[in-house]
């Protein structure tokens, strides 16, 4: 493979691959946050209810 | 008796007699690194052992880098086997809090843009006449990540290990000087003054614990050759977040990186032998290293501007510059620059998110590059 093809392949696939991989990871992170949301503290919940 | 005295004195002077001009230059260069580390405080943990290693290896007749020499042993068994950079990654993982990134996952994309300099510099190095594998090693300085640069260079261009490591570590410490002018050049005052809202979402403990495992699985399925790097950084993070192995987490955060940094630093310094280091290619590598980090910053900022546009001004583009892997310096630079234009602007947590994204991004970019090279039959 000549230098031109090599450089172009690595630059395009490298930049594109890194961007797409991290984009996929953002969805994975969002999915994890949905699957395991923060559980609200019961006492805090009661407290806010009392204030209404 | 006179002959004996003459022989003995000539033996004591043999070191002086064997000293070459190149070695003197390199001893001075090692002294320069020691000065930067000790007097200026630039990355002292690394520049001190690297500088001392450079001084030591350029003293004639010591045999430290010859077969069975002490520094040769550290180099062969720690650097060439890639053990040292991988162990450093366990420490980095244990020291990194991915919380800010988990608060705002979209910021991870800035960590991808912050790696574009790697590939653009690779293309530039090819145009300047470096061989294909040398260009890969030169480009990876743009990862702004010493262990990654050492890992890739020791694999593909070990003869460039000295200049690549020196460039990677010294430019990393120069991030606070290199980035602000580029930030001011590429952003408007209005953009720099944007106040980013703090994320109201919290991150649960299961997410924090699962994060290193899931990231390892996903990224290693995409780029299997990056597994040693990503696996180790995420192992360190799992030790931290699991909360059940305090002793291991403390070792991963302290003892392991401390010992390995010392051995890695002195081994890198040992690659700065005059006959191998004093070549025009070294200057070119150092220059291209700086170009790589500048390009990373430019691309990160441009991507930050794009995100600012798409979010209708909710994202301050300055945090794009923190998408490089120099942690936590790049995040601090974004915070300081933001504060200059708006005293109410607290970018640090957002920039930390981009910065930790840059750490994942740099390892991912290296992994993709390694996997690509394997695919091309060069790995």
């Amino acid at each position: 493979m000549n230098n031109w093809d090599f450089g172009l392949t690595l630059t395009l696939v490298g930049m594109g691959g890194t961007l797409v991989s991290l984009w996929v990871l953002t969805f994975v992170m969002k999915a994890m946050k949905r699957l395991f949301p923060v559980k609200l503290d019961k006492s805090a919940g009661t407290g806010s209810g009392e204030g209404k | 008796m006179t002959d004996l005295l003459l022989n003995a004195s000539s033996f004591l002077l043999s070191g002086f007699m064997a000293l070459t001009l190149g070695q003197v230059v390199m001893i001075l260069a090692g002294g320069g690194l020691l000065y930067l580390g000790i007097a200026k405080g630039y990355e002292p943990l690394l520049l001190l052992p690297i500088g001392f290693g450079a001084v030591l290896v350029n003293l004639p007749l010591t045999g430290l880098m010859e077969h069975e020499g002490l520094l040769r042993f550290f180099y062969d068994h720690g650097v060439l086997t890639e053990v040292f950079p991988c162990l450093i990654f366990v420490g980095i993982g244990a020291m990194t809090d991915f919380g800010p990134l988990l608060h705002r996952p979209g910021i991870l994309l800035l960590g991808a843009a912050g790696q574009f300099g790697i590939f653009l510099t690779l293309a530039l190095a090819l145009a300047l006449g470096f061989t294909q594998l040398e260009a890969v090693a030169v480009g990876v300085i743009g990862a702004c990540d010493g262990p990654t640069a050492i890992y890739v260079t020791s694999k593909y261009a070990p003869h460039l290990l000295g200049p690549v490591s020196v460039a990677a570590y010294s430019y990393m410490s120069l991030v606070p000087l290199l980035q602000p002018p580029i930030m001011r050049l590429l952003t408007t005052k209005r953009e720099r003054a944007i106040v980013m809202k703090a994320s109201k979402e919290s991150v649960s403990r299961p997410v924090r614990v699962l994060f290193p495992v899931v990231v390892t699985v996903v990224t290693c399925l995409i780029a299997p050759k990056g597994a040693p790097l990503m696996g180790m950084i995420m192992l360190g993070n799992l030790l931290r977040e699991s909360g059940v192995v305090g002793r291991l987490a403390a070792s991963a955060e302290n003892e392991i990186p401390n010992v390995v940094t010392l051995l890695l630093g002195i081994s890198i310094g040992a690659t700065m032998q005059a006959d191998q280091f004093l070549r025009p290619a070294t200057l070119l590598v150092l220059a291209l290293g700086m170009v790589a980090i500048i390009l990373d910053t430019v691309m990160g900022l441009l991507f930050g501007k794009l995100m600012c546009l798409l979010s209708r001004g909710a994202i301050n583009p300055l945090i794009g510059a923190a998408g490089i892997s120099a942690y936590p310096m790049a995040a601090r630079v974004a915070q300081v620059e933001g504060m200059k234009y708006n005293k109410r602007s607290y970018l640090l947590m957002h920039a930390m998110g981009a910065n930790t994204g840059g750490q994942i991004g740099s390892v991912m970019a290296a992994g993709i590059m390694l996997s690509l090279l394997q695919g091309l039959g060069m790995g």
Side-chain angles (χ1 to χ4, degrees), chain A:
Chain A
M1 182 181 268
N2 65 36
N3 278 358
W4 171 251
D5 291 343
F6 179 80
L8 200 65
T9 307
L10 249 71
T11 304
L12 292 181
V13 181
M15 283 169 41
T18 305
L19 193 62
V20 170
S21 307
L22 297 199
W23 186 59
V24 169
L25 273 184
T26 62
F27 284 105
V28 173
M29 282 193 268
K30 284 176 186 169
M32 276 164 49
K33 284 172 73 174
R34 281 202 173 179
L35 276 173
F36 303 101
V38 177
K39 285 178 186 162
L40 289 173
D41 189 351
K42 280 182 185 173
S43 58
T46 312
S48 63
E50 282 173 353
K52 282 181 183 174

Side-chain angles (χ1 to χ4, degrees), chain B residues 212-286:
Chain B
V213 181
V214 172
V215 168
T216 304
V217 172
V218 173
T219 57
C220 294
L221 285 173
I222 296 171
K225 294 291 275 183
L229 298 174
M230 193 62 90
M232 290 300 107
I233 196 168
M234 290 302 154
L235 170 65
N237 193 249
L238 183 61
L239 294 176
R240 171 198 173 98
E241 297 296 348
S242 68
V244 293
V245 283
R247 279 166 49 199
L248 293 185
S251 296
E253 204 173 327
N254 299 294
E255 289 86 356
I256 294 174
N258 287 348
V259 173
V260 178
T261 299
L262 175 65
L263 297 178
L264 180 66
I266 202 156
S267 305
I268 296 306
T271 62
M272 295 168 69
Q273 287 167 284
D275 55 334
Q276 292 165 26
F277 200 86
L278 291 176
R279 290 182 299 186
T282 301
L283 285 178
L284 213 49
V285 170
L286 295 176

Side-chain angles (χ1 to χ4, degrees), chain B:
Chain B
M1 185 63 186
T2 317
D3 284 350
L4 194 67
L5 278 172
L6 275 174
N7 278 342
S9 56
S10 71
F11 176 75
L12 289 174
L13 290 173
S14 57
F16 291 96
M17 305 296 281
L19 197 61
T20 64
L21 181 64
Q23 285 169 327
V24 173
V25 171
M26 287 312 296
I27 289 170
L28 290 174
L33 294 179
L34 287 174
Y35 172 76
L36 287 177
I38 298 167
K40 295 287 179 186
Y42 292 156
E43 295 281 335
L45 287 175
L46 281 152
L47 291 191
L48 194 149
I50 291 177
F52 195 77
V55 172
L56 206 52
V57 81
N58 283 292
L59 295 171
L61 311 178
T62 56
L64 286 165
M65 271 304 264
E66 285 168 16
H67 182 61
E68 293 188 350
L70 179 69
L71 298 185
R72 170 61 63 185
F73 179 84
F74 292 151
Y75 179 77
D76 285 350
H77 295 276
V79 179
L80 285 187
T81 56
E82 296 141 18
V83 168
F84 286 167
C86 289
L87 285 176
I88 294 270
F89 263 122
V90 178
I92 292 173
M95 288 181 227
T96 304
D97 176 11
F98 287 106
L101 181 64
L102 285 162
H103 274 289
R104 203 167 194 157
I107 279 178
L108 184 60
L109 293 177
L110 292 171
Q115 313 310 318
F116 288 175
I118 297 176
F119 302 101
L120 298 172
T121 308
L122 183 154
L124 200 58
L126 282 172
L128 288 172
F130 282 93
T131 66
Q132 293 177 351
L133 293 181
E134 283 174 344
V136 167
V138 173
V140 86
I141 300 173
C144 269
D145 184 340
T148 302
I150 292 167
Y151 182 87
V152 174
T153 308
S154 63
K155 239 176 166 49
Y156 294 115
H159 58 287
L160 291 181
L161 204 51
V164 166
S165 330
V166 170
Y169 281 113
S170 47
Y171 293 152
M172 217 156 67
S173 65
L174 293 178
V175 160
L177 296 176
L178 287 174
Q179 285 198 323
I182 308 169
M183 289 165 138
R184 288 192 283 269
L185 190 71
L186 292 180
T187 54
T188 61
K189 274 188 181 174
R190 196 176 163 187
E191 285 172 334
R192 293 194 287 272
I194 290 173
V195 176
M196 285 181 73
K197 285 180 187 164
S199 170
K200 286 176 185 168
E201 285 180 63
S202 293
V203 180
S204 66
R205 185 164 180 269
V207 172
R208 282 179 171 271
V209 175
L210 275 173
F211 176 75
V213 181
V214 172
V215 168
T216 304
V217 172
V218 173
T219 57
C220 294
L221 285 173
I222 296 171
K225 294 291 275 183
L229 298 174
M230 193 62 90
M232 290 300 107
I233 196 168
M234 290 302 154
L235 170 65
N237 193 249
L238 183 61
L239 294 176
R240 171 198 173 98
E241 297 296 348
S242 68
V244 293
V245 283
R247 279 166 49 199
L248 293 185
S251 296
E253 204 173 327
N254 299 294
E255 289 86 356
I256 294 174
N258 287 348
V259 173
V260 178
T261 299
L262 175 65
L263 297 178
L264 180 66
I266 202 156
S267 305
I268 296 306
T271 62
M272 295 168 69
Q273 287 167 284
D275 55 334
Q276 292 165 26
F277 200 86
L278 291 176
R279 290 182 299 186
T282 301
L283 285 178
L284 213 49
V285 170
L286 295 176
L288 283 169
M290 187 173 283
V291 170
I293 291 173
I294 289 170
L295 286 173
D296 281 341
T297 306
V298 168
M299 298 307 284
L301 283 166
L302 292 179
F303 206 86
K305 282 171 82 85
L306 179 68
M307 286 179 82
C308 176
L309 193 72
L310 295 177
S311 65
R312 292 179 188 170
I315 288 178
N316 187 319
L318 288 181
I319 67 166
I324 64 171
S325 181
Y327 178 83
M329 281 97 75
R332 286 193 196 131
V333 172
Q335 160 72 7
V336 170
E337 283 301 305
M339 281 283 269
K340 279 183 192 168
Y341 295 90
N342 188 340
K343 298 285 177 209
R344 292 183 301 113
S345 176
Y346 293 97
L347 296 176
L348 191 63
M349 287 312 280
H350 306 288
M352 281 289 190
N355 212 180
T356 50
Q359 286 192 305
I360 295 177
S362 68
V363 177
M364 196 64 221
I368 285 175
M369 199 149 69
L370 295 174
S371 296
L372 256 172
L373 288 171
Q374 191 190 29
L376 294 171
M378 299 167 80

